[in-house]
Amino acid sequence: AIYSATVTSPVNIAVIKYWGKRNPSLILPTNSSLSVTLSQDHLSTRTTIACSADFESDRLWLNGVEEDISASKRLVNSIGTARALRASEEAKNPELAPLSQYKIHVCSENNFPTAAGLASSASGYAALVSALGQLFELPQSTAELSRVARVGSGSACRSMFGGFVAWRMGEKEDGEDSMAEQVAERAHWPDLQALILVVSDKKKAVSSTAGMQTTVETSALFAERVRSVVPARMQAMEKAIKERDFAEFAKITMQDSNQFHAVCLDTYPPIAYMNDTSHAVTRIIHAYNAVKGYTAAAYTFDAGPNAVIYAPKSEMRDLVQLFSYLFPRDEDVLPEVFYTNPFGLV
Ligand code: DP6
């Protein structure tokens, strides 16, 4: 027999950034973080996993190209952890088929160009772990399974939930309490939308994994961020989300993105993820808010130059027009690709 499961998982974009590990092999962070999960329509990973007594080895195809699972410690760890959970169920119930002993075949596809430099590890590992959870009929809660996604890629634990999601850093050395939790459902704030400006589709020069490790080792500003800034921001952000206070949400989002990139520059050797277009986008958003006379939009940038704009639905048409006008798609000046809306629109 062949057993199989298929799952689609979304991308998430942090508004309080995860940057820094206290334990790199278990992927335990130095600070909690908070993100918004985007709609699966635009950016998601669809993963099918099959297992059978007849399969001879674990195999993985990413966007149609076979990759070597054993070459990735993170893949080996997350698959191994899911298998161990299945094995303990099999030990309790001898009637279960011995799926934990079968080899698996994994087929994973992004519905967006991987080259576009948009988060793919988050949706990728969330889909892998969700599919394993279904295939193995694991009784663990989504929060518990988020720990398994975490050992694949930190930010992936947040993609296990929709809506507004916190990754609680936890305190334990084994990482048992370092997992994701939904702060509010997507339906709590349907008016909030996201616009992605693809400033560059080049692969980033410094990976998140390598970059954050150098930051932990060299940046004094980072130590201060972890100690005195993030805990208060997590609380303020959760309050802003609960109250659907866009002005406060926007301010914290922009400040946290700016501090994350300041910490990257304070890393030695320095890491510069934002380029001139990225900086132009920040000035445009502040000017836009000033002209409107209220906070109408917020930007955030991850480990690359692409911007994610959060704004209420009523602002999106103006923003898309403004960016299309300022950065015409048919010129050399980017952004050339727009991915809109986590929550449906345009
Ligand atoms: C800037 O989750 O990609 O996007 O845990 O090493 O896989 P690893 O790192 P990753 O880092 C994401 C960093 C970020 C901020 C965030 O998503 O919170």
Side-chain angles (χ1 to χ4, degrees), residues 163-213:
F164 301 84
V165 186
W167 172 13
R168 309 289 180 201
M169 63 178 289
E171 291 172 353
K172 296 189 180 164
E173 286 200 7
D174 63 2
E176 214 191 320
D177 55 355
S178 185
M179 56 183 156
E181 170 190 62
Q182 191 183 55
V183 168
E185 292 183 359
R186 145 213 197 298
H188 165 74
W189 200 354
D191 190 46
L192 184 72
Q193 300 197 318
L195 173 70
I196 299 183
L197 308 180
V198 178
V199 167
S200 165
D201 60 6
K202 297 214 174 66
K203 207 173 157 349
K204 54 193 167 202
V206 182
S207 74
S208 307
T209 308
M212 68 174 80
Q213 200 49 38

Side-chain angles (χ1 to χ4, degrees), residues 2-5 48-52 55 103-107 135:
I2 290 190
Y3 301 81
S4 81
T48 297
I49 306 184
C51 72
S52 163
F55 291 171
K103 300 298 182 192
I104 59 170
H105 287 182
V106 182
C107 178
L135 179 71

Side-chain angles (χ1 to χ4, degrees), residues 115-187:
L118 300 165
S120 61
S121 70
S123 56
Y125 277 99
L128 176 80
V129 170
S130 300
L132 286 169
Q134 276 196 18
L135 179 71
F136 293 160
E137 296 179 313
L138 298 178
Q140 277 75 19
S141 68
T142 306
E144 288 166 329
L145 286 180
S146 80
R147 287 190 301 229
V148 186
R150 191 202 75 221
V151 302
S153 177
S155 56
C157 75
R158 299 185 312 238
S159 271
M160 298 293 284
F161 290 97
F164 301 84
V165 186
W167 172 13
R168 309 289 180 201
M169 63 178 289
E171 291 172 353
K172 296 189 180 164
E173 286 200 7
D174 63 2
E176 214 191 320
D177 55 355
S178 185
M179 56 183 156
E181 170 190 62
Q182 191 183 55
V183 168
E185 292 183 359
R186 145 213 197 298

Side-chain angles (χ1 to χ4, degrees), residues 316-336:
M316 278 298 177
R317 259 164 225 288
D318 283 358
L319 286 164
V320 170
Q321 265 181 17
L322 180 65
F323 284 112
S324 317
Y325 171 76
L326 292 170
F327 304 105
R329 290 193 198 199
D330 55 354
E331 287 182 17
D332 282 351
V333 192
L334 299 168
E336 92 264 76

